[in-house]
Amino acid sequence: MGIRHWIRKRMAEEAEDGEGAPHGSIINAIFGREPPTLHALGEYDHKTYPGELEELLRRRAEVAHELMEMELTSRQARVAAIPQLQALLRTYPHPLAYETLIHAYVDAGRWDEARGAAFAARERRTQVSRSPYSEIRGEIDRLNEWTPEEIDLVRAEREGTAPAAS
């Protein structure tokens, strides 16, 4: 069987199965169709939703739910929640969990740890901004970023000292 005969036969079979039109490209006829690359919200359906993204979103929702259930309205409650916040960040590095942990460290006067959490939050922002999934990139929209310098300013304000010169 020659290549032309094989290609025609393959294209006719696909047309009968409804998979593609017999006038499609020769590459599609030989190798099959390549799934389109999706880049915007709402482009997935139940068949094309990436498993990796589904797992990330499930863990993110779990962490968000836990954050909403936590009592974080008082200084003492935030300080007491530090171990739980650290555990949540291991489950999924949610920006709001970082924000809450930074506030808890500041409330506890743990300045170096607050600076470290601010640095980790900034690194996570960078990582999220480079995600191939718009659902993940969207989680940092409209969120302000803590910098280690801002932690130093809060410390100086609380302790009544001048900020350290850099």
Side-chain angles (χ1 to χ4, degrees), residues 108-136:
R110 296 163 65 174
W111 305 108
D112 289 337
E113 290 164 314
R115 287 174 53 89
F119 177 79
R122 185 173 52 198
E123 291 299 308
R124 175 63 180 159
R125 273 179 95 81
T126 302
Q127 184 183 33
V128 164
S129 70
R130 294 181 182 147
S131 173
Y133 304 115
S134 55
E135 289 88 340
I136 301 298

Side-chain angles (χ1 to χ4, degrees), residues 14 26 32 34-35 39 61 63 71 78 80 87 96 100-102 118 137 153 159 163:
E14 286 181 5
I26 194 164
E34 191 170 306
H39 296 288
V63 168
E71 174 59 42
R78 285 189 297 273
L96 294 176
T100 307
L101 184 62
I102 292 168
R137 288 191 308 268
L153 289 173
E159 294 176 350

Side-chain angles (χ1 to χ4, degrees), residues 58-130:
R58 185 195 60 73
R59 289 183 11 227
R60 182 176 77 184
E62 180 183 317
V63 168
H65 180 72
E66 288 289 322
L67 279 172
M68 288 189 293
E69 295 295 319
M70 292 173 72
E71 174 59 42
L72 300 169
T73 56
S74 70
R75 210 177 230 186
Q76 294 81 12
R78 285 189 297 273
V79 171
I82 288 174
Q84 190 177 0
L85 291 168
Q86 292 168 335
L88 288 176
L89 284 170
R90 283 189 289 277
T91 301
Y92 183 84
H94 199 295
L96 294 176
Y98 274 117
E99 179 77 15
T100 307
L101 184 62
I102 292 168
H103 282 281
Y105 282 146
V106 167
D107 289 338
R110 296 163 65 174
W111 305 108
D112 289 337
E113 290 164 314
R115 287 174 53 89
F119 177 79
R122 185 173 52 198
E123 291 299 308
R124 175 63 180 159
R125 273 179 95 81
T126 302
Q127 184 183 33
V128 164
S129 70
R130 294 181 182 147

Side-chain angles (χ1 to χ4, degrees), residues 42-59:
E43 289 189 29
Y44 300 113
D45 63 15
H46 70 283
K47 295 178 187 173
T48 61
Y49 214 81
E52 173 192 8
L53 178 58
E54 190 173 358
E55 175 63 17
L56 287 173
L57 294 177
R58 185 195 60 73
R59 289 183 11 227

